[in-house]
Amino acid sequence: MSHTDPDVVAVRELPPGVPDPSDESVSRTWRLITARRPAPAPLWTRLLVPVTAAAMVVGLAVGATVVFRPGGLSVGAGGVPSDEKTSEPNLAPPSPEAVAALKAMAEVAAGKPTTVPPIATGQYVFVRHDGWVAVVSESSQVAKVEKQDRDYWFDPQGGLLRGSSFDGAPPRVEDQEVPREQVLGSVIHPTPKWLAQLPTDPIKLLDDLRGAMDKDAPWSIDHQVWTAMQDLYMRCDVLLNTEGRAALLRAFTSLRGITSSEVTIDKRRLLAIRHTERGSGDEILFDPTTGRAVGRRSVNVNSTLTLDPASPVRLDPGVTYQATWSQQVVDELYATS
């Protein structure tokens, strides 16, 4: 755990000038509170932090109303840590609908040659992250949906967060204390070279992804793979080549516990591929016309909340966070085009 981890920063800087905490860390607490039974979200064990404490301190700091803002950047997707490895891993075979959807997208992706932008020293991957969150008070079962926009600048050598801007605020420097020369490339810290050399055999590729996960973590291996892929796609989908994109989609057809559904966001038809475990559904949103990952959603499958009819958008039942993103390579930190 780094002292500059976003969750730790959220606590250290309170108060005054309360910053937004890590969005995903707050999501984890929000889902824990609103579920019928405790349902922690997925955990990326390489970046464990005291997320529950951070989220609750933020809630107390803003006054009588506890505002939970789930989803968004997780810089290590994760959930409320559990003391024990789950006794109920989702070992269900992938649904036939999910397998068919992934295979179809793989064929589409393979048929659309991708031009990966060259990466020069000093360039960044800029991600515009347009999100909506369900905001709930401590005593209410009615959630209002609010806009939540994020801009991120990632070092392509490892997908390291180097800058961020929340809801149009001036950008701030992020330092994960990982020297780029120490990043060799992995699903945790993808590099352009690592992405370019992904195995094209989907069985080998899935074996590699599973092998990078923590066998002693509280969450199942396949759930860890899926939350790691949420993060990877959000940081560097733009750097995937044609072969790698198609191979990943084919590899996912063997993941246990995945399902699929069609969703419409901003009048755009997308495919949501979900992995569910412990009442927590984690989705990657794909554009079926390209096979690209274009967003993510967090779902509390046990939620009893209803949405305030005055909310500007309607989220699907159980959705606590929804976001789509766009990505491009920029020449300098804080550049947006």
Side-chain angles (χ1 to χ4, degrees), residues 61-113:
V62 298
T65 300
V66 181
V67 180
F68 296 107
R69 287 182 164 81
L73 176 69
S74 54
V75 190
V80 176
S82 172
D83 292 335
E84 298 179 356
K85 187 175 179 66
T86 180
S87 60
E88 299 179 353
N90 190 344
L91 302 179
S95 74
E97 294 80 9
V99 171
L102 287 164
K103 286 183 175 179
M105 283 197 296
E107 292 302 313
V108 169
K112 291 182 178 293

Side-chain angles (χ1 to χ4, degrees), residues 101-115 233 237 240-250 252 286-293:
L102 287 164
K103 286 183 175 179
M105 283 197 296
E107 292 302 313
V108 169
K112 291 182 178 293
T114 300
T115 301
Y233 276 127
D237 178 90
L240 279 169
N241 61 26
T242 304
E243 295 77 15
R245 189 182 308 282
L248 283 168
L249 293 167
R250 294 187 178 108
F252 298 155
F286 292 94
D287 182 343
T289 67
T290 63
R292 288 181 175 272

Side-chain angles (χ1 to χ4, degrees), residues 148-177:
Q148 186 187 73
D149 293 335
R150 301 288 186 258
D151 288 345
Y152 300 113
W153 290 263
F154 293 104
D155 186 335
Q157 297 298 326
L160 303 170
L161 180 63
R162 298 306 192 193
S164 63
S165 173
F166 290 179
D167 298 319
R172 64 187 185 190
V173 174
E174 305 282 357
D175 184 4
Q176 294 184 9
E177 295 187 329

Side-chain angles (χ1 to χ4, degrees), residues 86-155:
T86 180
S87 60
E88 299 179 353
N90 190 344
L91 302 179
S95 74
E97 294 80 9
V99 171
L102 287 164
K103 286 183 175 179
M105 283 197 296
E107 292 302 313
V108 169
K112 291 182 178 293
T114 300
T115 301
V116 178
I119 299 294
T121 301
Q123 289 186 310
Y124 296 85
V125 174
F126 169 66
V127 180
R128 175 147 288 161
H129 201 267
D130 300 319
W132 294 92
V133 299
V135 180
V136 60
S137 69
E138 188 176 31
S139 59
S140 176
Q141 284 294 301
V142 178
K144 185 175 182 179
V145 181
E146 294 184 359
K147 195 80 173 76
Q148 186 187 73
D149 293 335
R150 301 288 186 258
D151 288 345
Y152 300 113
W153 290 263
F154 293 104
D155 186 335

